[in-house]
């Protein structure tokens, strides 16, 4: 089967497309979603399935409508994988569904999938995962040597606009106490220089690193002694959770029901529910190398089945049952 991802070739050209390739399908990534380019691809590649993902520069109102027109014109099923639920469901996902009218929608939020079904949309739950060819343990890299690392964008505007988002609590528990006590944390991602209102102090400029290419993130996961894992919700796991554990990184994250549903604290992962716990656990595990090694190896084993090959298989099985694919 031929599958075309409507993606510029950055984040979403990895992971799920790789999983589909593992199953023997031919997958292409479109590049910028422009009408002439898409018509050429639809004519030459003749895909059996179109997949749109997330929220990026090509998800304008006009382009969403254009994608629907071309999918209808060329008689190709159109699938949307929503990765911004549930926080942005009302402001982004639902308007997109009304404009793009995908033949089926997948979402990382199980509750949102149920909500969509009640509203009459064809929808199912499809969570994040990791891919073994992208997220794997690498050799130690001296340039990424650090006791503690964070790989994530800061999202200060989102935090300000949505004060009830659990990510604020996760920052308060995991990052703020360590900065206050003078621990050095290397931050890879955008806008960490704007986080003083949420962290109580400015991050030293020397600790703010450039954004790291997606396929090199595993080098940081493999070289940092501790990777801090921010969580956005208590009942869902972030994409970085799967990617860090898939790369055998030692993961210290918030103590949430979603974390405990998949991982056993102290065996697969280390969790904290308060600033004092964070400080105590960082002090302990920085001194106990063998304990860190044991936990990081167990973490990888615990999520082994949560890979994008299995996610791709699940997605295609659902689409076949719905009669969208042969």
């Amino acid at each position: 089967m031929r599958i075309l991802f409507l993606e510029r070739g950055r984040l979403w050209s990895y992971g799920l497309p790789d999983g589909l390739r593992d199953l023997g399908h031919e997958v292409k990534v479109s590049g910028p979603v422009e009408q002439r380019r898409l018509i050429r691809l639809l004519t030459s590649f003749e895909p059996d399935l179109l997949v749109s993902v997330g929220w990026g520069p090509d998800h304008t109102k006009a382009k969403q409508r254009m994608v629907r027109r071309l999918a209808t014109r060329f008689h190709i099923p159109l699938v949307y994988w929503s990765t911004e639920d549930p926080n942005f469901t009302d402001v982004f996902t639902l308007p997109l569904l009304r404009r793009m009218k995908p033949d089926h929608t997948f979402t990382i939020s199980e509750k949102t999938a149920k909500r969509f079904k009640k509203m009459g949309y064809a929808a199912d739950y499809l969570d994040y995962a990791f891919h073994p060819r992208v997220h794997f343990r690498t050799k130690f890299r001296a340039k990424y040597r650090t006791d503690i690392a964070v790989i994530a964008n800061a999202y200060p505007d989102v935090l300000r606009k949505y004060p009830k988002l659990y990510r604020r609590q996760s920052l308060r528990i995991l990052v703020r106490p360590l900065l206050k006590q003078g621990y050095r944390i290397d931050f890879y991602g955008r806008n960490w220089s704007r986080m003083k209102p949420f962290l109580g102090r400015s991050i030293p400029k020397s600790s703010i690193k450039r954004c790291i290419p997606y396929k090199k993130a595993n080098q940081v996961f493999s070289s940092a002694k501790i990777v801090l894992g921010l969580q956005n919700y208590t009942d869902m796991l972030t994409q970085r959770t799967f990617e860090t554990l898939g790369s055998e990184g030692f993961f210290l994250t918030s103590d949430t029901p979603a974390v405990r549903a998949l991982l056993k604290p102290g065996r697969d992962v280390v969790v904290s529910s308060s600033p004092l716990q964070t400080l105590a656990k960082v002090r302990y595990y920085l001194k106990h190398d063998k304990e860190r090694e044991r936990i990081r190896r167990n973490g990888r084993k615990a999520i082994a089945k949560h890979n994008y090959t299995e996610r791709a298989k699940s997605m295609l099985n659902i689409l076949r049952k719905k009669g969208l694919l042969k």
Side-chain angles (χ1 to χ4, degrees), residues 10 34 51 53 71 93 110 121 216 230 232 275 298 313:
R10 296 177 183 175
E34 300 165 351
V51 182
V53 183
T93 314
E110 193 168 10
Y121 293 104
K216 288 187 176 181
L230 301 174
N232 295 326
N298 287 338
K313 191 182 299 182

Side-chain angles (χ1 to χ4, degrees), residues 273-302:
S273 58
S274 72
L276 287 177
Q277 276 192 11
T278 298
L279 291 169
K281 293 189 177 186
V282 165
R283 281 195 297 267
Y284 178 84
Y285 285 106
L286 286 179
K287 293 177 182 177
H288 293 81
D289 296 352
K290 289 183 180 179
E291 286 288 293
R292 291 202 316 272
E293 291 296 297
R294 176 184 62 82
I295 290 171
R296 71 167 180 80
R297 287 195 297 268
N298 287 338
R300 174 61 175 76
K301 293 175 185 176

